[in-house]
Amino acid sequence: LYAWTLFTMIRTSFYSALLILFTSLALNAAPRLGTDFGMLDSPIPVKKDGKVEVVEAFWYGCGHCYSFEPTIERWSAGLSDDVVFSKLPVTWGPFHQTHAKLFYTIEALGLGEAGHRAVFTAIHKEGNNLGSDSAIISFLQKLGATKEDIVRQMNSFFVRQKTKRAIELTRQLKVTSVPMMFVDGKYRVEAQRSNDYMLEIVDHLVGLQKEES
């Protein structure tokens, strides 16, 4: 009986060790095409200037994008000089396009990351969906911009062109969900089991592209 019990314990320990080993190997395996990331059917041309371009497609109203924001802020702050990161506000419909215009108006006013964080907070914590020009103007005034500057920038050539380009890119990149990330107009990374793992995949793809950029 003792020998059988000992054998059972050894066998159980052996299988447990194998399970831990295989789980560890799976977690540490390199990201795989078709499983962890995809390739665009029609890649977007990018400049061959020695820099890898990374784009995050997002929407202010997306809960996952809101929770992803602190993680991607930390990640982008640590990028090397040969990686260029930018955000693409999705433009699926009129409501999303209003938020895209808000995004570029914040950029034009020089309100930066603090302005973008304030939008996420207003929508997800304060219940202000910022779905109209009047709501946006009132909101941006609270951030210190004057009504005259806000209206001028909202209707500026810069904001109109940026919003138009966002509409084109949302269509060309075939953004169907957010957050979604793109590397050098070639690779697509959708939301993963964790925010950190999503960025690990992006880092892997950036490494692949550095030799080609």
Side-chain angles (χ1 to χ4, degrees):
L1 179 61
Y2 173 78
W4 175 254
T5 301
L6 180 62
F7 171 75
T8 302
M9 291 175 61
I10 293 173
R11 183 178 62 181
T12 301
S13 298
F14 174 73
Y15 285 130
S16 297
L18 280 181
L19 179 61
I20 293 171
L21 174 63
F22 288 135
T23 301
S24 176
L25 289 173
L27 291 174
N28 292 305
R32 293 175 295 171
L33 175 64
T35 301
D36 301 302
F37 64 91
M39 294 187 70
L40 298 180
D41 294 332
S42 301
I44 305 296
V46 296
K47 291 185 290 187
K48 298 295 183 180
D49 56 1
K51 297 181 183 295
V52 180
E53 296 183 14
V54 179
V55 175
E56 179 208 4
F58 83 103
W59 174 41
Y60 281 132
C62 161
H64 192 165
C65 298
Y66 172 57
S67 65
F68 190 32
E69 190 67 9
T71 304
I72 202 163
E73 275 192 25
R74 290 192 299 270
W75 173 83
S76 61
L79 292 174
S80 56
D81 292 339
D82 55 358
V83 181
V84 179
F85 173 68
S86 62
K87 289 177 173 286
L88 172 69
V90 293
T91 54
W92 293 318
F95 191 66
H96 305 93
Q97 291 169 22
T98 295
H99 281 180
K101 182 170 65 173
L102 169 59
F103 174 84
Y104 292 117
T105 299
I106 287 174
E107 295 283 288
L109 290 169
L111 297 175
E113 289 301 323
H116 298 309
R117 284 195 295 269
V119 175
F120 276 118
T121 299
I123 293 174
H124 297 279
K125 291 294 187 181
E126 299 168 4
N128 182 358
N129 64 23
L130 298 170
S132 66
D133 285 355
S134 60
I136 288 172
I137 291 170
S138 177
F139 168 77
L140 293 176
Q141 283 181 289
K142 293 177 183 177
L143 298 185
T146 66
K147 183 176 181 179
E148 292 74 16
D149 283 345
I150 296 166
V151 173
R152 183 173 65 252
Q153 294 298 349
M154 283 180 69
N155 296 295
S156 67
F157 177 80
F158 170 83
V159 171
R160 290 200 310 271
Q161 287 299 107
K162 285 286 188 176
T163 303
K164 179 182 177 182
R165 180 57 176 157
I167 293 172
E168 294 170 352
L169 281 175
T170 297
R171 185 181 305 116
Q172 291 174 355
L173 293 170
K174 298 182 179 179
V175 182
T176 56
S177 63
V178 286
M180 186 178 288
M181 299 187 71
F182 300 89
V183 178
D184 253 4
K186 179 178 179 180
Y187 296 108
R188 177 187 65 253
V189 183
E190 299 182 32
Q192 299 293 319
R193 60 176 180 258
S194 72
N195 293 334
D196 287 335
Y197 185 59
M198 185 175 186
L199 293 176
E200 285 179 22
I201 298 170
V202 172
D203 285 336
H204 171 75
L205 297 173
V206 167
L208 294 180
Q209 281 301 107
K210 282 188 175 182
E211 296 182 1
E212 300 184 22
S213 295

